[in-house]
Amino acid sequence: MPDLVISIDAMGGDHGPAVVVPAVARAVKQGLDARFLLHGDERVLKPALAKLPTLAGRVEIRHTDKVIGADEKPAQAMRRGKGASMWNAVEAVKTGEAAACVSAGNTGALMAIAKLILRMSADMDRPALVASWPTLRGRTAVLDVGANISADAQRLVEFAILGAAFHHAVHGSARATVGLLNVGSEDEKGHEEVREAHRLLRTMALDLDYRGFVEGDDIPMGTVDVVVTDAFTGNVALKTGEGLARYFLARLRATFTSGPFARLGAIIASAALRRMAEQFDPSSINAAPFLGLNGIVVKTHGGADVRGFATAIRLAADLAASDFVAQIDRNLRTMTAAMPNEAAQDNAVPDDAAPNQASGVGERTKA
Amino acid sequence: MPDLVISIDAMGGDHGPAVVVPAVARAVKQGLDARFLLHGDERVLKPALAKLPTLAGRVEIRHTDKVIGADEKPAQAMRRGKGASMWNAVEAVKTGEAAACVSAGNTGALMAIAKLILRMSADMDRPALVASWPTLRGRTAVLDVGANISADAQRLVEFAILGAAFHHAVHGSARATVGLLNVGSEDEKGHEEVREAHRLLRTMALDLDYRGFVEGDDIPMGTVDVVVTDAFTGNVALKTGEGLARYFLARLRATFTSGPFARLGAIIASAALRRMAEQFDPSSINAAPFLGLNGIVVKTHGGADVRGFATAIRLAADLAASDFVAQIDRNLRTMTAAMPNEAAQDNAVPDDAAPNQASGVGERTKA
């Protein structure tokens, strides 16, 4: 029996078991040696599994009738979610039964439940989400593209740590190169937060290869493995990229129907064009782990098809098989060990403020 | 004699008169009915003009030996720039001799000199720059992409006003539609600054068509005529778009050399492909006015070729011929008239803070 166990929310997403079960079969067929806990309605899951003999002995159904709806608010999901397929899928990671969890369910609810059950390992409000951009040199991880729409210097350093561990685990970089997104390469460019994070990343002895400021065009060029920014800028860049991919394809279609010769060219080159279009399919970049949790939770988008969900399962397995969690822990410890010096500097100002600040740092170190 | 006069820094940019003089000739050949003041070295300009009889009687050389270098710091340019070709080109707008000015020179120096000579009409630190994105529906103006890397709510409203007037003048929209860049469409999304600007834009009776929040993919889709954001996000989006265009063309080349049929398709469709590639040429989007000044100053990039510089000249002429300045003035007055109510609300908190805040608003109203 394989040692690796993946816990799956079988009821999440637009299609639920109709996509999840064939996706598990696809991942196994592609060579993934793992067992699976499928959380959901056994009246649907059993007959679906019966048709897939390749999964025999690899899948255990964990029955529940309860499902978290696509429109449920995070607070509601936290209060009333206990026992739902999503809740149980995450809890299996907490108890150690599974090494990682995958869900295509309601993002806000999954984030809230994952945070409640697993807790954050970094001092963040909410998990960070990473987008893996296709680039001229491979894949570049851009984060945060989740919910941390503002980020101070320490948060940006945490994103660098999380992103480097992610790239190492998933894309196999030996020691990930990291850049900080800015509007220029000179030290004095950008906001205070970005300049301070730049200073911290240059001086802290973290297990990553910090390369300084990068700009927007460095993302598709693949200049570095990891691009760090707050979720506001990260989301805008990602959405702009998605829109621009759609724009390019629409223009390409228009170009190839602009005249008889172009049309002939399109017919002849159609196979190659289709391959290229697939590179811009958002479903190929929308599987992403929630970073910063004490455990591996991979979210894939609600509309994921079998291929997309299988990608998410393989991503979860890659993370679980790597030293992902250990690398993050090590780097966070290095960071927090370096932070008291920062605090000491801050404390130079008012005497009565010092105890509060010191205890703030203490909490950080514990987190 | 044509009434419209354009003032030109003939020495700015990487190529100086070698590009500027033929660009003026090109603009005239394309039907621009204007006269030109060329500021620069007459020993170079005279022989260049002698070769272009189409320009006879349309061009007046304003001789100066002095030139502002590409590496000169803004502060230095302000202190020592008086009498330089760039300085004189801007001053002709101040004195009313010319309706607009064009320069391919040092951006920081031009911004500082233009601000010093013409002053800001809005309450901004520095002029805003607009990027005209190619979209599926035409052109969308995105601003700021200049130096206002942070922007509070009032600044964002000012960008909306400036962008709407720009789109109306240059792209001919009757009443420009405006969107505020955010990470979602719900009222509670985004930073405080963005949410407050959203509230102001919905309640102020400005002469523009505010459509609410938009996301990154709405830029290339052309959902609205004007997209408003701070220069940090605007620059990242623009650079990401430029990088993605390069990425896309590189992938396209790779696709079209991936096999004999694809290669044949590329040969057949090459003319259409070239047309598309031209749409992503940065020189076609890099001519932009400095917005928010009491006068029209168009900056084009240092490396602009004849076509790029001619585009900048036509842009300056379009702005000068429109009700651009009047529309901005009208909207800014509407905005400042609505602002005291805001201040009154703010003043509800501490009594002793009120006088300062009130005088702050007073300054704003004067600006």
Side-chain angles (χ1 to χ4, degrees):
Chain A
M1 284 301 267
D3 288 337
L4 180 62
V5 180
I6 313 277
S7 172
I8 294 182
D9 170 12
M11 310 308 284
D14 302 346
H15 313 292
V19 153
V20 172
V21 175
V24 172
R26 186 185 167 103
V28 169
K29 208 175 285 169
Q30 288 172 331
L32 177 60
D33 191 24
R35 286 185 298 130
F36 303 89
L37 306 179
L38 289 196
H39 303 267
D41 188 341
E42 64 182 359
R43 287 158 298 190
V44 184
L45 293 171
K46 251 191 193 153
L49 284 166
K51 289 182 209 143
L52 297 162
T54 45
L55 294 183
R58 285 188 179 268
V59 175
E60 188 180 320
I61 296 172
R62 294 288 173 91
H63 175 75
T64 174
D65 278 332
K66 208 167 163 184
V67 170
I68 289 172
D71 301 325
E72 224 157 313
K73 294 263 172 256
Q76 199 179 0
M78 281 166 76
R79 265 198 322 275
R80 301 196 294 197
K82 196 163 185 169
S85 62
M86 181 191 283
W87 185 289
N88 294 353
V90 174
E91 203 158 47
V93 175
K94 172 73 179 176
T95 61
E97 283 188 285
C101 151
V102 180
S103 175
N106 178 334
T107 308
L110 181 61
M111 199 175 267
I113 287 172
K115 198 185 138 187
L116 180 72
I117 295 177
L118 297 171
R119 302 286 175 89
M120 302 299 296
S121 61
D123 172 39
M124 302 193 297
D125 294 327
R126 297 165 184 202
L129 271 168
V130 63
S132 289
W133 283 59
T135 76
L136 291 180
R137 297 188 190 173
R139 292 269 170 176
T140 286
V142 180
L143 76 168
D144 185 22
V145 296
N148 298 288
I149 60 161
S150 300
D152 62 15
Q154 189 190 335
R155 198 102 325 144
L156 292 169
V157 174
E158 288 165 358
F159 295 162
I161 290 170
L162 297 170
F166 169 82
H167 202 279
H168 170 69
V170 174
H171 302 302
S173 54
R175 193 157 177 269
T177 55
V178 177
L180 198 54
L181 193 59
N182 200 350
V183 296
S185 56
E186 303 85 356
D187 284 2
E188 74 276 13
K189 287 273 183 180
H191 311 120
E192 175 54 30
E193 295 84 349
V194 172
R195 290 198 305 265
E196 172 66 6
H198 180 57
R199 208 183 59 74
L200 291 172
L201 283 164
R202 278 195 306 190
T203 50
M204 286 178 171
L206 299 172
D207 181 18
L208 54 83
D209 184 2
Y210 179 60
R211 297 288 178 94
F213 292 138
V214 294
E215 298 185 66
D217 53 339
D218 289 306
I219 304 175
M221 293 297 108
T223 311
V224 289
D225 296 328
V226 179
V227 171
V228 168
T229 190
D230 63 65
F232 190 90
T233 313
N235 264 305
V236 166
L238 183 61
K239 282 276 191 173
T240 301
E242 282 184 19
L244 218 41
R246 286 207 299 279
Y247 169 83
F248 289 141
L249 289 170
R251 293 283 315 145
L252 205 58
R253 268 192 297 273
T255 298
F256 276 115
T257 51
S258 61
F261 287 107
R263 221 172 303 215
L264 182 57
I267 291 165
I268 291 171
S270 60
L273 281 174
R274 238 190 338 268
R275 272 202 304 282
M276 200 184 66
E278 277 167 15
Q279 286 238 340
F280 291 100
D281 178 0
S283 86
S284 72
I285 58 165
N286 265 352
F290 287 162
L291 297 173
L293 291 166
N294 292 308
I296 297 162
V297 177
V298 171
K299 162 77 176 101
T300 185
H301 63 118
D305 58 8
V306 172
R307 193 168 63 87
F309 203 98
T311 302
I313 294 172
R314 286 203 315 278
L315 174 62
D318 285 348
L319 291 171
S322 75
D323 62 346
F324 177 66
V325 174
Q327 185 184 339
I328 291 172
D329 275 357
R330 208 163 51 237
N331 266 333
L332 285 178
R333 250 185 305 231
T334 307
M335 182 190 78
T336 44
M339 289 312 272
N341 294 327
E342 301 304 315
Q345 256 181 299
D346 290 346
N347 290 352
V349 205
D351 260 350
D352 56 346
N356 279 333
Q357 295 198 356
S359 85
V361 172
E363 275 167 27
R364 244 183 245 154
T365 314
K366 263 181 276 159
Chain B
M1 283 303 268
D3 287 337
L4 181 61
V5 180
I6 312 276
S7 171
I8 296 183
D9 171 12
M11 310 309 283
D14 301 347
H15 313 294
V19 153
V20 172
V21 175
V24 172
R26 186 186 168 102
V28 169
K29 207 175 287 171
Q30 288 171 334
L32 177 61
D33 190 25
R35 286 185 298 129
F36 303 89
L37 305 179
L38 290 196
H39 302 267
D41 188 341
E42 63 182 359
R43 286 158 300 189
V44 184
L45 294 172
K46 251 190 194 155
L49 284 166
K51 289 182 208 143
L52 297 162
T54 45
L55 294 182
R58 286 188 178 268
V59 175
E60 189 180 318
I61 296 172
R62 296 286 171 96
H63 175 74
T64 175
D65 279 332
K66 210 167 162 184
V67 171
I68 288 172
D71 301 326
E72 224 157 314
K73 294 264 171 256
Q76 200 179 357
M78 282 165 77
R79 263 199 323 275
R80 301 197 293 197
K82 196 163 183 167
S85 62
M86 181 191 283
W87 184 289
N88 294 352
V90 175
E91 204 158 45
V93 175
K94 173 73 180 174
T95 61
E97 284 189 284
C101 149
V102 180
S103 175
N106 178 336
T107 307
L110 181 61
M111 198 175 268
I113 286 172
K115 199 185 137 188
L116 181 71
I117 295 178
L118 297 171
R119 302 287 175 88
M120 303 298 297
S121 63
D123 173 39
M124 303 193 296
D125 293 329
R126 297 163 186 204
L129 272 168
V130 62
S132 288
W133 283 59
T135 77
L136 290 181
R137 297 187 191 175
R139 292 271 171 174
T140 286
V142 180
L143 76 166
D144 185 21
V145 296
N148 299 287
I149 61 163
S150 301
D152 63 14
Q154 189 191 333
R155 197 101 328 143
L156 292 169
V157 174
E158 287 165 358
F159 294 162
I161 290 170
L162 298 171
F166 169 81
H167 202 279
H168 170 68
V170 175
H171 302 303
S173 54
R175 194 158 176 267
T177 55
V178 177
L180 196 53
L181 194 58
N182 200 349
V183 296
S185 54
E186 303 86 356
D187 284 1
E188 74 276 12
K189 287 274 183 180
H191 312 120
E192 176 53 28
E193 293 85 349
V194 173
R195 289 198 306 267
E196 173 65 5
H198 180 56
R199 206 182 61 70
L200 291 173
L201 283 165
R202 277 195 307 190
T203 51
M204 285 178 174
L206 298 172
D207 179 20
L208 52 84
D209 184 2
Y210 180 60
R211 297 288 179 93
F213 292 139
V214 294
E215 298 185 65
D217 52 341
D218 289 305
I219 305 176
M221 292 299 108
T223 311
V224 288
D225 296 328
V226 179
V227 171
V228 168
T229 189
D230 64 66
F232 190 90
T233 313
N235 264 307
V236 166
L238 182 62
K239 281 276 191 174
T240 301
E242 283 185 17
L244 217 42
R246 286 208 298 279
Y247 167 83
F248 184 76
L249 289 171
R251 294 283 313 144
L252 206 59
R253 268 192 295 275
T255 298
F256 276 114
T257 51
S258 63
F261 288 107
R263 220 170 304 213
L264 182 56
I267 292 166
I268 291 171
S270 58
L273 280 174
R274 234 187 345 264
R275 272 202 304 283
M276 198 184 67
E278 276 166 15
Q279 286 240 337
F280 293 101
D281 178 359
S283 86
S284 72
I285 58 166
N286 265 352
F290 287 162
L291 298 173
L293 290 167
N294 292 310
I296 297 163
V297 176
V298 171
K299 162 77 176 101
T300 185
H301 63 117
D305 57 10
V306 172
R307 193 169 63 86
F309 203 98
T311 302
I313 293 172
R314 285 203 314 280
L315 174 62
D318 286 348
L319 291 171
S322 75
D323 61 345
F324 177 67
V325 173
Q327 184 183 339
I328 291 172
D329 275 357
R330 207 162 54 237
N331 268 331
L332 285 178
R333 250 185 306 231
T334 307
M335 181 189 80
T336 45
M339 290 311 271
N341 294 329
E342 301 304 314
Q345 254 179 303
D346 289 346
N347 290 351
V349 206
D351 261 348
D352 56 346
N356 279 331
Q357 294 198 355
S359 84
V361 171
E363 277 167 29
R364 246 183 242 152
T365 313
K366 263 180 280 162

